[in-house]
């Protein structure tokens, strides 16, 4: 397969699927790591973007309102950055019941032992302190995720590194299904982001809602300014004239991604390392760049948020398109499994 350097994608038109769990608003980490890619891929491939509300419920069964309200937030975030519902099939997982049906069939193709070995699920279970009291739906979410991907026969799935074990398990399901019932599904290929994972404003780890170190696409200009001003830089860079560290300095990590004037950035780094460039100055630069970048997204988001009914209509339309494909695939699956009676 020839890779296209510019898009990190594949030469011929393929079916691409990716999704978000609606458990919170999307932030700059999502933007850099996946949303920008979606805007690009929708012009090249047949793209599906799913709001994974069923998956969100696997560890939020007692919080249906949280999931419900975040469906609209995640929809707004995607639309605001430019996911175009005329190019992308943008839909809600729970409204495609064929995905649930496919999940039931796939559950026979995995063992409990294998589910318990999935390193991503293992980590998440540890974080949530589940042990043996893990909801069965949570332990089996990789199976349901395989159904998310395969109902539309997607072969490319853009994901972060943490999702690779989930895709590996999906491919085992593809293999098992095909060997038992005949060739219905193709192997899935992960598409990894070429940009490194965006660090949170605290500099400690990746940007994440639970760590409270995120800049949201919906943040106001005041909030963005405040968060950049709080960013971790170099604790030993106390006076302007002290030499400072660029590596591990969150402000420079962000400038590396967002500052288009690479020559100027190089000079600033040199000056910072030598001493004589203050944190406030580099932070001011980053604030201006982020504001330029995020203001049009925020404006568009605010505009769309005024009409939530319209947003739901967009999702309903996308869901209808997804269902047509899902019904088609399930017909083929039932035939292959010899459960096509009438
Ligand atoms: N598990 C993914 C996440 O936490 C969300 C997701 C659900 C997904 N279904 C998917 C991603 C299918 C890719 C393909 O980010």
């Amino acid at each position: 397969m020839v890779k296209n350097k510019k898009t990190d994608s594949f030469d011929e038109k393929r079916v691409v699927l990716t999704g978000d769990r609606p458990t919170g608003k999307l932030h700059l980490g999502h933007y850099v790591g996946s949303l920008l890619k979606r805007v690009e891929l929708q012009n090249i491939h047949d793209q599906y973007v799913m709001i994974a509300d069923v998956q969100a419920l696997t560890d939020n069964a007692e919080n249906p309102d949280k999931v419900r309200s975040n469906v609209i937030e995640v929809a707004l975030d995607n639309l605001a950055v430019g996911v175009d519902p005329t190019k992308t099939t943008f839909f809600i997982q729970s409204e495609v019941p064929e995905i649930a049906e496919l999940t039931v069939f796939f559950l026979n193709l995995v063992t409990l032992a294998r589910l318990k070995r999935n390193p991503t699920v293992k980590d998440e279970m540890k974080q949530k302190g589940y042990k043996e009291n893990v909801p069965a739906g949570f332990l089996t979410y990789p199976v349901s995720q395989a159904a998310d991907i395969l109902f539309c026969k997607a072969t490319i799935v853009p994901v972060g590194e943490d999702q690779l074990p989930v895709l590996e398990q999906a491919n085992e399901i593809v293999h098992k299904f095909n060997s038992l019932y005949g060739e219905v599904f193709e192997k899935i290929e992960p598409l990894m982001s070429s940009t490194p994972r965006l660090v949170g404003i605290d500099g400690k780890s990746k940007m994440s809602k639970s760590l409270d170190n995120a800049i949201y696409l919906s943040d106001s200009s005041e909030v963005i300014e405040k968060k950049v001003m709080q960013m971790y830089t170099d604790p030993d860079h106390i006076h302007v004239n002290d030499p400072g560290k660029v590596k591990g300095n969150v402000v420079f990590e962000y400038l590396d991604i967002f500052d288009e004037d690479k020559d100027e950035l190089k000079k600033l780094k040199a000056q910072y390392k030598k001493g004589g460039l203050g944190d406030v100055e580099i932070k001011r630069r980053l604030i201006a760049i982020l504001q330029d970048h995020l203001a049009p997204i925020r404006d568009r988001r605010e505009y769309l948020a005024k009409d939530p009914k319209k947003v739901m209509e967009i999702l309903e339309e996308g869901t209808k398109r997804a269902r047509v494909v899902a019904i088609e695939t399930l017909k083929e699956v039932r035939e292959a499994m010899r459960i096509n009676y009438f």
Side-chain angles (χ1 to χ4, degrees):
M1 177 66 49
V2 187
K3 286 259 197 113
N4 177 333
K5 278 224 173 65
K6 188 166 161 281
T7 59
D8 275 6
S9 68
F10 301 83
D11 276 352
E12 78 263 34
K13 190 163 174 145
R14 306 263 291 262
V15 181
V16 179
L17 180 135
T18 188
D20 304 305
R21 288 184 196 175
T23 51
K25 293 178 180 185
L26 302 185
H27 52 59
L28 224 47
H30 296 114
Y31 178 68
V32 174
S34 60
L35 296 173
L36 277 174
K37 192 98 219 153
R38 294 176 191 179
V39 177
E40 205 180 293
L41 288 172
Q42 68 187 352
N43 295 318
I44 310 166
H45 296 296
D46 180 9
Q47 177 171 256
Y48 291 73
V49 172
M50 183 182 70
I51 303 189
D53 61 340
V54 175
Q55 188 173 115
L57 285 163
T58 61
D59 61 333
N60 281 286
E62 61 296 332
N63 292 318
D65 291 335
K66 171 179 156 191
V67 174
R68 169 88 193 207
S69 61
N70 280 308
V71 166
I72 195 95
E73 300 295 344
V74 165
L76 287 170
D77 288 325
N78 274 278
L79 295 169
V81 301
V83 169
D84 176 348
T86 66
K87 295 178 180 167
T88 292
T89 303
F90 191 26
F91 71 101
I92 303 180
Q93 185 186 20
S94 63
E95 291 284 347
V96 182
E98 289 75 18
I99 295 177
E101 197 181 341
L102 198 52
T103 304
V104 171
F105 301 152
F106 286 170
L107 278 168
N108 301 329
L109 311 180
V110 294
T111 65
L112 187 57
R114 175 65 180 92
L115 286 165
K116 285 185 175 168
R117 270 202 311 271
N118 185 308
T120 303
V121 177
K122 250 178 151 168
D123 278 358
E124 288 170 326
M125 277 175 60
K126 213 185 218 159
Q127 267 171 33
K128 294 171 204 289
Y130 276 148
K131 304 217 167 83
E132 282 299 306
N133 289 322
V134 59
F138 188 82
L139 186 68
T140 55
Y141 93 72
V143 181
S144 144
Q145 190 156 325
D148 297 342
I149 297 164
L150 295 168
F151 90 86
C152 61
K153 301 202 174 172
T155 56
I156 301 181
V157 180
V159 283
E161 202 162 350
D162 61 318
Q163 291 289 300
L164 290 179
V166 179
L167 295 196
E168 193 180 314
Q169 205 168 357
N171 271 327
E172 288 169 22
I173 292 172
V174 167
H175 184 75
K176 185 98 191 196
F177 187 99
N178 287 348
S179 60
L180 290 173
Y181 308 123
E183 291 287 319
V184 172
F185 298 112
E186 272 179 59
K187 198 167 178 277
I188 301 157
E189 290 174 61
L191 180 61
M192 302 282 291
S193 167
S194 47
T195 26
R197 227 175 168 144
L198 195 66
V199 68
I201 60 169
D202 56 2
K204 282 194 198 123
S205 49
K206 65 171 189 180
M207 185 172 277
S208 107
K209 183 184 53 155
S210 50
L211 298 170
D212 197 21
N213 63 4
I215 295 177
Y216 293 92
L217 295 175
S218 48
D219 278 348
S220 67
S221 56
E222 293 77 30
V223 170
I224 292 173
E225 181 167 346
K226 206 179 105 215
K227 288 180 177 172
V228 174
M229 281 302 176
Q230 286 169 3
M231 268 182 185
Y232 179 86
T233 54
D234 171 4
D236 298 325
H237 185 243
I238 297 162
H239 305 290
V240 173
N241 289 325
D242 291 344
K245 277 197 215 73
V246 163
K247 208 172 168 307
N249 184 321
V250 180
V251 179
F252 281 108
E253 286 191 27
Y254 280 49
L255 285 171
D256 272 335
I257 295 171
F258 293 100
D259 194 339
E260 272 157 27
D261 190 346
K262 299 296 173 208
D263 289 338
E264 180 64 19
L265 182 56
K266 221 168 142 186
K267 280 187 214 151
L268 290 172
K269 282 184 181 173
Q271 198 187 348
Y272 192 87
K273 280 191 209 160
K274 200 164 127 253
L277 180 60
D279 279 2
V280 171
E281 203 169 320
I282 53 165
K283 285 180 170 174
R284 289 259 162 249
R285 182 177 179 89
L286 179 60
I287 289 167
I289 290 169
L290 286 183
Q291 303 289 21
D292 273 358
H293 219 89
L294 295 178
I297 295 174
R298 188 174 51 233
D299 289 352
R300 208 172 131 68
R301 199 184 188 285
E302 275 170 18
Y303 173 78
L304 291 161
K306 286 195 190 117
D307 195 353
K309 209 166 137 246
K310 175 85 206 306
V311 176
M312 274 302 161
E313 276 166 23
I314 290 173
L315 292 171
E316 189 177 5
E317 178 57 38
T319 304
K320 275 189 191 145
R321 292 195 334 246
R323 272 210 83 187
V324 172
V325 177
I327 289 167
E328 193 67 31
T329 302
L330 262 289
K331 188 164 175 275
E332 205 185 324
V333 164
R334 286 170 157 274
E335 269 168 29
M337 293 178 69
R338 308 198 21 80
I339 52 173
N340 56 327
Y341 301 106
F342 315 117

